[in-house]
Amino acid sequence: MSILSYLFFKAVCLNYITVKRKMEAEKRTEAEIRVVLERMAKAYENKDVDAVMSCYAPDPDVVSIGTGKDEKYIGPEQLRRAHERDFAQSESISMTFDGLSVSTAAAGKVAWFASDITVHVEASGKHLTLSGRLTGVVENRGGKWLLVQGHFSLPAAEQPEGQSFPEQ
């Protein structure tokens, strides 16, 4: 085997090992982030605002955006009030996540995710099912993934499938 063939073979092997390790790390990261989301879902089901807040970074610039016109929250105090409002305005609430997709930054300390989410709410004696989308950014701090940005949205009902814009 020539030296060039050997070096090429070695490069291919190293690349394979690197890609395999990265894929395993991404699977592990996705599983860890799924645990955070499931912890959040359980905290919502229990209406436990402290448990919800433990899923977020305590930073003054942590952001969460909801579906309401007034639902843009920055900082832990606003986030806490938002979750307290959700709990006060509902008799029960639960959520499930489907189709979770996670990507990580090169350093492995930051990841972003997207998921379909179904929220079941009992509010004012009526059952609501909200089929939406959740995106977010999480940061790994001391081996613990914390939300630093989240956005829940509902598809525009007046926008026909296959169209880029809602009908007027």
Side-chain angles (χ1 to χ4, degrees):
M1 177 184 283
S2 74
I3 188 74
L4 282 175
S5 295
Y6 172 76
L7 291 175
F8 177 75
F9 175 75
K10 185 117 174 143
V12 168
C13 288
L14 287 174
N15 186 50
Y16 171 77
I17 291 168
T18 302
V19 168
K20 187 171 188 233
R21 284 186 183 154
K22 184 174 189 245
M23 288 172 61
E24 288 169 358
E26 287 174 355
K27 285 180 185 176
R28 184 176 60 249
T29 298
E30 184 172 320
E32 291 169 353
I33 292 169
R34 182 173 291 282
V35 167
V36 173
L37 295 176
E38 294 298 335
R39 223 175 61 232
M40 170 85 78
K42 188 68 171 168
Y44 250 77
E45 195 172 316
N46 294 331
K47 293 186 170 188
D48 184 343
V49 73
D50 291 327
V52 170
M53 294 304 296
S54 75
C55 297
Y56 286 95
D59 304 349
D61 59 351
V62 64
V63 175
S64 183
I65 299 173
T67 59
K69 204 172 196 176
D70 66 333
E71 291 185 318
K72 181 177 179 183
Y73 309 106
I74 301 172
E77 295 80 19
Q78 288 185 11
L79 279 173
R80 177 176 285 280
R81 283 195 303 274
H83 297 302
E84 288 170 344
R85 180 175 97 169
D86 285 353
F87 300 154
Q89 293 181 10
S90 62
E91 288 88 53
S92 68
I93 190 165
S94 65
M95 58 185 78
T96 56
F97 305 95
D98 300 302
L100 179 65
S101 170
V102 175
S103 298
T104 57
K109 295 287 184 189
V110 175
W112 46 99
F113 65 87
S115 181
D116 291 327
I117 180 173
T118 303
V119 181
H120 298 281
V121 181
E122 286 287 329
S124 302
K126 296 180 182 174
H127 180 80
L128 301 169
T129 298
L130 306 172
S131 297
R133 301 173 181 129
L134 180 68
T135 59
V137 177
V138 290
E139 187 176 326
N140 192 312
R141 297 184 182 178
K144 182 178 178 183
W145 290 100
L146 297 172
L147 286 154
V148 293
Q149 186 274 329
H151 183 208
F152 174 60
S153 64
L154 297 171
E158 64 278 0
Q159 183 174 329
E161 194 168 320
Q163 296 298 309
S164 296
F165 305 99
E167 291 181 349
Q168 296 297 322

